[in-house]
Amino acid sequence: MDDISTGTLFILLAILILLSAYFSSSETGMMSINRYRLKHLVKEEHKGAIRVHKLLLRPDRLIGLILIGNNLVNIAASAIATIIGMRLFGDVGIAIATFALTLVILVFAEVTPKTLAALYPEKISFPSSVILLPMLKLFYPLVFIINGFTNAFLVLFRISPKNGDEDSLSREELRTVVHEAGAMIPKQHQDMLVGILDLEKVTAEDIMIPRNEIVGIDINDDWKAIQKQLMHSQHTRVLLYRDTIDDAVGFIHARDALRLTAKDEFSKSNLLRAVREIYFTPESTPLHTLLYKFQSAKERIGLVVDEYGDIQGLVTLEDILEEIVGDFTTTILPTHSKEVNIEDDGSVIVDGSANIRDLNKEMEWSLPIEGPKTLNGLILEHFEEIPPEQVCCRLAGYPMEIVEISENMVKTVRVKPMYFKEPEQGRGDSLGN
């Protein structure tokens, strides 16, 4: 070293600092790269991605290689800096060299390169893999020995370097990925993807048309009344029953009724022969399961039954699709459902029979959905009785006023979401008259 000039030592020190920066940036870039994008690029046969993927198959070996190189250049840089310091400042030069080299390495070989690598992992890791992959083969014996010691130490904690965390995402993590996609995925498409993820959480009971709202025809009615109902029906499939919905006969398709009419065979007996078999599903069936069953059975409509076999409602394929893509409308203009009417003062008049899940989606509210399915049911659960008119309460932080009571149920409610405030305790509290 005494024969080497000080200028040459400075050049060697600068080279070692650059090498240290290379190893530091490579480590951060490799560990920060998006694994899912990397898999996509590998499928696209991107050469840089393939090299990085090979290195990341055993991260313990990659880290071992990088740290071997990084520590070697840092120790060498420390030795050269000490020699330079002693030449320039004597014995005190050791302290000066230590302080100066620490500052230089932190700024130029650690913080700056690692920050750049964290911001642009692909731009750092792909070119770096050209050097690291041959180096791993060259220094494999040394890397193997060092990893042998470290892996043996990890075994004491029952940790295997071959069994790291899998790259699979949970449903909630995937939901976060969809929302964090930003402008890369349009908002409407994000809602559809999240809707698909939510199918497992939603059951047939959550989206069914309640029993009292099912449009059906009593086959025991007068024949002219049946004809009139069929001709004026707004649905392509109508439920036929005897006296009560519990004695359901089947569904009649409007096309079948028209065919009978065209053949001049439109009679009650022929109508009964044309009905289609009813598909029954339990109310607790998750929507993704119901969708598969509809697909396999080639069905588009079914009746929802409870644990006793009693009919509770009706569910259609369209109802399931609306959970994914949103409500189907005949206009491109944003409109509210018939259960919702926004007043000039910003308050909302809501029908008590409105489904809570639909309200939350339409109005972007956060009413509880674990219990009752309708707003009327939620209010009755809160009061534990049928409340009188003009009584106010706060449910989930939303001030509500009972506007109308009819037929032992809350018919109309006024909601004032502009005064929304999270309640301190419980799900709701009464505000009195």
Side-chain angles (χ1 to χ4, degrees):
M1 283 289 183
D2 293 338
D3 298 334
I4 302 176
S5 65
T6 303
T8 303
L9 291 178
F10 270 112
I11 294 174
L12 290 175
L13 181 60
I15 293 174
L16 291 174
I17 292 173
L18 288 175
L19 289 174
S20 179
Y22 162 75
F23 285 116
S24 297
S25 62
S26 298
E27 178 185 7
T28 303
M30 292 287 181
M31 296 301 108
S32 301
I33 197 166
N34 188 316
R35 301 299 177 92
Y36 302 99
R37 175 168 169 76
L38 180 64
K39 289 182 178 181
H40 169 71
L41 292 176
V42 169
K43 292 180 180 179
E44 296 292 327
E45 297 184 355
H46 187 284
K47 294 182 179 179
I50 294 174
R51 291 193 300 267
V52 172
H53 179 68
K54 290 180 180 178
L55 290 169
L56 289 176
L57 288 175
R58 284 298 300 270
D60 58 324
R61 294 175 181 173
L62 174 62
I63 293 174
L65 173 66
I66 292 175
L67 291 182
I68 288 172
N70 204 12
N71 281 282
L72 284 176
V73 297
N74 284 343
I75 293 172
S78 176
I80 292 176
T82 301
I83 295 173
I84 294 174
M86 293 181 65
R87 286 186 180 182
L88 296 179
F89 305 103
D91 291 340
V92 74
I94 298 176
I96 295 174
T98 300
F99 177 80
L101 182 63
T102 301
L103 181 62
V104 170
I105 287 180
L106 282 176
V107 174
F108 298 103
E110 291 292 337
V111 177
T112 301
K114 286 187 175 182
T115 302
L116 288 174
L119 294 174
Y120 308 101
E122 292 183 11
K123 293 181 179 180
I124 299 296
S125 59
F126 288 168
S128 177
S129 63
V130 176
I131 300 175
L132 290 177
L133 202 57
M135 280 185 62
L136 181 60
K137 296 179 180 179
L138 181 64
F139 293 99
Y140 182 78
L142 181 59
V143 173
F144 179 80
I145 294 173
I146 293 177
N147 282 154
F149 286 108
T150 57
N151 293 342
F153 183 72
L154 290 176
V155 169
L156 297 177
F157 298 95
R158 297 183 179 180
I159 299 174
S160 173
K162 298 180 180 180
N163 299 327
D165 292 338
E166 297 183 356
D167 292 334
S168 57
L169 291 174
S170 68
R171 184 177 293 101
E172 294 304 321
E173 291 171 336
L174 187 55
R175 183 197 304 272
T176 301
V177 171
V178 171
H179 286 307
E180 291 296 325
M184 297 180 64
I185 303 179
K187 180 63 168 61
Q188 185 179 7
H189 294 178
Q190 290 183 22
D191 294 339
M192 292 172 62
L193 291 172
V194 172
I196 294 174
L197 295 175
D198 286 340
L199 286 184
E200 188 172 344
K201 294 181 178 180
V202 186
T203 63
E205 182 185 14
D206 294 324
I207 68 167
M208 70 180 184
I209 299 171
R211 172 194 176 101
N212 62 320
E213 296 181 14
I214 296 178
V215 176
I217 297 177
D218 186 355
I219 200 65
N220 291 333
D221 281 348
D222 180 72
W223 177 238
K224 290 185 178 181
I226 294 175
Q227 287 179 303
K228 184 177 180 180
Q229 291 179 70
L230 282 172
M231 293 301 105
H232 293 85
S233 175
Q234 299 179 353
H235 304 279
T236 55
R237 292 174 176 82
V238 181
L239 178 66
L240 300 183
Y241 60 89
R242 295 186 179 91
D243 297 329
T244 66
I245 290 180
D246 288 321
D247 189 9
V249 176
F251 288 98
I252 182 68
H253 197 288
R255 182 175 60 246
D256 297 329
L258 289 174
R259 184 172 62 250
L260 292 175
T261 303
K263 294 180 178 180
D264 198 20
E265 298 176 354
F266 195 47
S267 63
K268 184 177 292 189
S269 58
N270 289 335
L271 191 65
L272 288 173
R273 282 195 291 268
V275 296
R276 306 188 181 189
E277 185 178 355
I278 300 175
Y279 181 85
F280 293 98
T281 184
E283 58 186 358
S284 60
T285 305
L287 290 194
H288 74 289
T289 302
L290 183 57
L291 183 61
Y292 294 146
K293 290 183 176 180
F294 272 177
Q295 183 181 31
S296 60
K298 301 296 188 292
E299 293 287 348
R300 299 178 63 91
I301 191 170
L303 292 180
V304 181
V305 297
D306 62 11
E307 57 183 321
Y308 303 105
D310 296 331
I311 296 174
Q312 300 299 312
L314 179 146
V315 64
T316 66
L317 179 61
E318 182 181 278
D319 295 328
I320 301 177
L321 294 179
E322 285 183 349
E323 286 295 310
I324 301 174
V325 302
D327 293 339
F328 297 115
T329 61
T330 57
T331 174
I332 61 174
L333 297 176
T335 58
H336 291 288
S337 60
K338 61 182 180 180
E339 291 91 359
V340 175
N341 183 27
I342 300 179
E343 300 289 284
D344 293 336
D345 62 355
S347 62
V348 184
I349 302 296
V350 184
D351 193 297
S353 63
N355 185 279
I356 295 177
R357 292 187 69 259
D358 294 339
L359 280 177
N360 285 343
K361 289 196 298 182
E362 181 177 350
M363 305 302 298
E364 297 184 353
W365 293 350
S366 55
L367 295 172
I369 59 175
E370 293 81 11
K373 305 303 178 183
T374 65
L375 185 59
N376 167 64
L378 185 64
I379 294 175
L380 294 184
E381 181 190 60
H382 169 65
F383 282 101
E384 298 181 348
E385 63 178 356
I386 300 175
E389 295 179 354
Q390 309 307 316
V391 168
C392 298
C393 66
R394 188 188 295 274
L395 290 177
Y398 292 90
M400 299 185 183
E401 176 187 354
I402 313 302
V403 178
E404 181 184 355
I405 299 291
S406 177
E407 299 178 353
N408 296 325
M409 67 173 291
V410 179
K411 193 70 174 178
T412 311
V413 181
R414 184 188 300 275
V415 185
K416 300 181 179 181
M418 75 287 291
Y419 300 120
F420 171 75
K421 183 179 180 181
E422 195 68 33
E424 294 182 359
Q425 294 181 348
R427 190 160 71 177
D429 56 86
S430 298
L431 302 179
N433 290 320

